[in-house]
Amino acid sequence: MLFGRKHRKPISIPVKEVKEWKYTTCNYCSTGCAIEIGLNENGKIVTSRGHAGADVNRGKLCIKGLLEHELFESPGRGTMPLMREKAHLPFQPTSWDMALDKTAAKIKEIQEKYGRDSFAVVSTGQLLTEEFYTLGKLVRGQIGTNNYDGNTTLCMASAVSGYKRSFGSDGPPGCYGDFEHTHCLMAFGSNLPEQHPIIYWRLKEALEKRKFPLIVIDPRVTMLAQFADMHLPITPGTDTVLINAMMHVIFKEGLEDKEYIEKHTNGIEALRALVADYDPKTAQHVCGIDEDRIRTVARLYAKAPAAMSIWTMGINQSTHGSDGVVDINNLNLITGNIGKPGGTSLSITGQCNAMGTREWSSCSGLPGYRALEKEKDRKHVAEFWGIDESFFPAARGLTQTDIFPAIETGQIKGLWLVATNPMTSMPNQPRIRKAMENLEFLVVQDVYEDVETNQYSHVYLPAAVWAEKEGCHTNTERRVNLTRNALPAYADSKPDFWIFKEMSKRFEDRNKIPFPETPEGAFEEMKILSKGAGRTLDISGMSYKKIEAARGIQWPYSEAQAMADEARVGKVEEFNLQKRQDFLGDSRLYTDGVFQTPDGRANLIPVRFVNNNECPDAEYPFWLNSGRVVEHFHTRTRTGKIGNCNKFSPTPYMEMNPDAAEELGIDHQSYVRLVSRRGDAVVMVQLTHRVGRDMVFIPFHFHDCVNRLTLGLLDPYSRQPAFKQNAVRVEKIDQQEAARLNLERRAF
Amino acid sequence: MLVEEKKMDDSAAAGSTAGGCGKPGGCGCATGESKKDASAGRKIWEIRTEEQAYAFLSDKEMAETNRYGQKIDLIEHTEHKLPVGRSMFINENPAVGTNPNRNKQHGFFFTADNCIGCHACEAACSEKNENPPHLAFRSVGYVEGGSFPDYKRMNISMACNHCDDPVCLKGCPTRAYTKHVEYGAVLQDPETCFGCGYCTWVCPYNAPQLDPVKGQVSKCNMCVDRLEVGLKPACVSACVGNALDFGVIENIPKNREQARVEIPGFPSPEITHPNIRFQQIRGLPDEMKRTDSMPLKYHKNENGRYQPTIDHKKGKAKHWNMARLSSRENPLVLFTLSAQAAAGAFALAFLGAQAGVAGFVAFSQSAIYAPLAILCFLMIAFGLFMSTMHLGKPHRFYRGFNNLRHSPVSREGLGIAVFMGCLGMHILFSLPANSLVQGLAGNLVNALIGVQTAGKLAAFFGYLAIPASLVGLYYMNRCYRIKARPFWNHWQVGTAFFGSMLSLGALVAGVIMVTTLAVSGASYGDVLLAGAVMLSLGLAIEGIGHVAHARDMGRAEHEGGASYYIQTTTFGKTFMLRNAMLGVNVLFAAGLLTLMLMQGASGMPVLLGWVLVGATLLATSVISRALFYVLVIPTTMPGAFFWKNKGFEEHARDIGLANMPQVGVAPLRH
């Protein structure tokens, strides 16, 4: 001790006496980080830590993951099922049997009265894969409504649609390991440091080992844009124009991979013809990126030995979302950058299990990337479940974004919401509110009783969350990873798996299907369904133990691959889980250039840009852009209650350009009222040059905020809303009144 | 193990042979004697299975001395007076860490170019240390500059810098801080702390965190538990941007090439010699602004370094904001003013009488002398009470004298306490001569002590009280001469405090003495004159200080200048009123004094004139002192838009958002 001190002072640092570490996968975003939950000798959670041996996160976690174990006992959790006759009456506590009986009876009543499709189910990307599979079985196999979708329509539908159009199937073809091999990375509307910090870290690690050019296309100067070698501040919604112009340059200068195009693609002539119209000279005036830059970037990308593109909501949430994805795929196909190390089209997904729902929930079809439209698939699944094939519709029904207008028109009378909060997440809130009031019956199944949508419900089913349950997630790079059950469900809440299973008993009068008792039982069923020649989505070689031992396995991982690995490392039952076992699924898809299309060739699809966006005008002079902040997840029902997350943005705010603000006489850190053609919202102003003079940016997490303003025009293919292209004006507001409103609208 | 460390150490010191090697590179589980069997073999920290390389410390070589010339080996620094291989007794665990460099000064390395502001470091820290939302040992703020799209934001993650010259340790009156020869960690014991918050004033980096809920300070502990097993701190291990690193100081991590000690927004390293190094190579705009409410920005100077300059965020409009004068520091406004008044009043009455001035002698022989002294005593008692109530743990007030070696707070406290003690004895020995006491219990008193003896003792203690009060006031002044608070770090603190001592002291003593003499029909002319001279002198001294302070702060391009900007805008009208009152009062007092000296003026009109001066003086003093506390802007790190933004905290408290604990703003205790 220095400075003459003689007497020792106690050093007290909180000790977490961990008796057992439980293996889990993070339940927030799609990165798929492995987390170990530390339990003390009483089975109470005392801490958590990133799993240092997991390949995805290698011990790192973002703020949300680091504090995730605090959510189990957060305020607002549902403790018991609730019921009421009318949405304006107070809730009464009830039993699970009563709540499930009532729900089943109402579903049947509505279906009998208005037809089978008059009851809709909207699920999520937040459940475990086994739960998605089970819900799909219940909805497709027993309830039999065709109006069944997930909230992934708000985030990933365009990626799914784009992949299907280009490659014949969904499934991101690349992996995080591609950062280590690429020679040029282009990020479209993807702000990794904020949205996917751990993927950003993997990119940063790769960049520190070996520098390669980073190009960021984003209308805001995000942290990633700031760190990029080239930042292209594009005009909102015009990505396809930029990409077409890049392809124009590539073709004009003969930089395309002629051999790859020749061997593995269809449609080159139509694409060449279309992009001929997109010379950089013309395109620059539409997309806002000068012709010089377009040429530089196109040449750099095409000449790189391996180049990859990543994208997130900047592409997906647009009226050209699916087209944007297709165009990115076009760019990578013509430069031969699919299925090779460092060359890929990698969609960076949103929710933790958006992939799981895409693969197994039967939302947009049938389990295991099967389609209702294919008779072979309908037959296969009907046989497997033991039901009549005719019970399945021959075409997909409404998407989430079409279900709400159908409620509006009276076509749909009843709704079951599972772990999604449309009262905050859907665009054009005033319209959604009206629609919700039209429902004859709404059942909300959620972890939180205070989820805003619950104000319209007739039955509330309290669900367990994350490690209160057991099952798998699939991450952005197709890695299936496990969450072990670490603690019992909170109060009288139940795992979603249990809820679906119990509900299925009430529909056995329609179809009697066996439902496995455990999630692992469901996983075994999925494994069988995943088998088949030429299938990419093959998980038949996996098991819970193997997944945990490997800290996640990428699909495809077939029985044959599993046997080869077992021959190499021995039987899984003998493994010490303290050490990682390399059970390696395929890192990349389409490495052989064979795609999931009928002829095995990828489709080059010409994409023509039509400007149907609500653009700023004299009356509404600002682009309204929205996005995520790192400390919050989605509608804040979880992170809004964890103080060490929430404190970094406890109330809604808006980034606004200081020059624009000065013209309007608006001060930093004052409140303003935003007005669009749909409604208004009150936010606090953060003046920053991160946004241009004609744009404002608002994080989308807050209730009664940005989605009171958004229009959300739908993409024609994916039906995903364009959250990021809307017009607003900014008005002054009485500061005290605004503060009062701000406080009133913050229940958490 | 130090032999002096008897209190808590001997059991472990005696028997530290059993079980462990206790040497660097040893097993890391050295145990104490059998008494501590329960904790024997307890791990200091459990290393994760398959832990990654980034989490481990990796210093192979190191420099002899740091850039300030201080030895990096802290055993060498202490001239080998301390043995190596001692246990740190983390959570009373006698195990000794295995880290081979545990006696080297360690520090953070921050690559400002890389920080993405993702809060992972803060979250990892808060999770490990179980901090509630309103506290954080590490915080990320940012500065930003340029215009769209040529815009740059630089995030800064900052915790404790475990300084070579820890001003917190020196300032803390309770000795809650220790700088260890292990890692050079500056650790603080929240249990010892009584919550005065002085360390939070002196630290330039806002590292110590005062918890208004628990009433104590806590801070970054360098994760010494992790260091002992060779791991980097939790925040570093959690860093997602590859910005934060840690190691033996002056070592530059792999893939890094620079080790600066300043970046835009970081206070001058000269204040404390902090153990942090920076890399900041990427170009930044010439002007970097803060998003928080601090009216400061940073401008690039001719050397390419960034200097703070005033950012006129709230325009130039002048406001009253009288209500905002009331702050958490109200008790200190009352404490300083009453202690200064008491010191001045007693000195005037006592020294006047000792000097044999007729009016003073007459008063000292009156029955009211003792009540005046008692009033002074009560004023100090009230002041001390207020300052004690200002503590997070008032019942631990006695710890305030524990750091006389370094802390001006301890010395101030001691000076004031001795003054109060001497004054008490003075009062006690003045009582026998007091006519009221004589009337009530003369016989009894006279039996105990002779009036003469008592008078001598009273004078003795009176003469002791005066220097004690001056020492107390001197250190009271030193308490505010804080480098991290440039608005205070000016000689004006001295003129204000000693000026108030003279003016308020003269006012208090004058009112009582003149009234007493006037009522008893005695002549009060010389008392009034002496009081008037002292009051005017006090006013003049304070006025000179204010003028110089305003001139210097008005020109300053640092936090002091920012305070001045707030003074002339947010409190602009209040400030002008204060100045006007002070100016008019000085002139008025000078006029009255001139009349008295030149014209021999006296009587009611003059008295009334002085009453007016006195009333104005009181109002001016309270406003001045309140401004003094609310205006100071410390050299803290830039905040973010919500977190560590004083403006938002104030707003959240005003509208009631702060009542939701997850907002991270603790409501103030009233």
Side-chain angles (χ1 to χ4, degrees), chain A residues 1-2 5-6 8 11 13 16 47 52 58-60 197 205 226 551 578 668-669 671 686, chain B residues 5 9 48-50 52 54 78 91 127-128 142 144 153 177 179 239-240 242 291 645 651 662:
Chain A
M1 289 174 278
L2 306 172
R5 290 294 153 79
K6 301 271 170 33
R8 177 168 71 79
I11 302 174
I13 301 176
K16 285 125 201 210
T47 187
R58 303 174 184 187
K60 298 272 183 182
E205 285 277 287
Q226 187 180 317
R551 326 298 187 215
Q578 295 294 303
H668 186 60
Q669 213 174 313
Y671 290 103
Q686 175 185 345
Chain B
E5 290 177 19
D9 286 359
R48 293 190 291 199
T49 45
E50 302 170 281
Q52 298 272 341
Y54 64 70
T78 52
N91 296 322
E127 196 277 328
K128 181 171 185 296
Y142 64 86
E144 59 183 353
R153 175 177 293 191
Y177 284 83
K179 186 168 174 73
C239 179
V240 166
N242 288 356
T291 195
N645 178 355
H651 176 70
Q662 74 268 34

Side-chain angles (χ1 to χ4, degrees), chain B residues 40-79:
Chain B
R42 220 171 0 128
K43 280 181 197 164
I44 302 177
W45 180 263
E46 181 190 347
I47 299 176
R48 293 190 291 199
T49 45
E50 302 170 281
E51 185 55 279
Q52 298 272 341
Y54 64 70
F56 289 102
L57 287 157
S58 58
D59 297 278
K60 300 280 184 289
E61 293 169 14
M62 48 219 82
E64 278 285 303
T65 60
N66 69 11
R67 67 188 59 206
Y68 305 109
Q70 179 159 314
K71 290 260 197 307
I72 286 172
D73 187 311
L74 296 162
I75 299 293
E76 276 179 41
H77 176 69
T78 52
E79 292 159 345

Side-chain angles (χ1 to χ4, degrees), chain A residues 135-148:
Chain A
L135 175 63
K137 209 163 153 184
L138 169 68
V139 176
R140 290 278 178 218
Q142 290 186 306
I143 296 177
T145 175
N146 196 15
N147 293 325
Y148 164 45

Side-chain angles (χ1 to χ4, degrees), chain A residues 280-295:
Chain A
K281 260 195 191 117
T282 320
Q284 64 184 346
H285 300 299
V286 183
C287 69
I289 309 301
D290 66 84
E291 54 175 310
D292 237 34
R293 257 280 143 100
I294 295 174
R295 287 195 192 93

Side-chain angles (χ1 to χ4, degrees), chain A residues 96 115 207 260 342 344 413 458 518 536 571 583 588 620 669 738:
Chain A
W96 274 101
L207 278 166
Y260 191 89
T344 192
K413 300 287 189 188
H458 301 84
T518 61
T536 51
K571 271 214 166 302
F583 300 127
R588 297 171 189 88
Y620 299 98
Q669 213 174 313

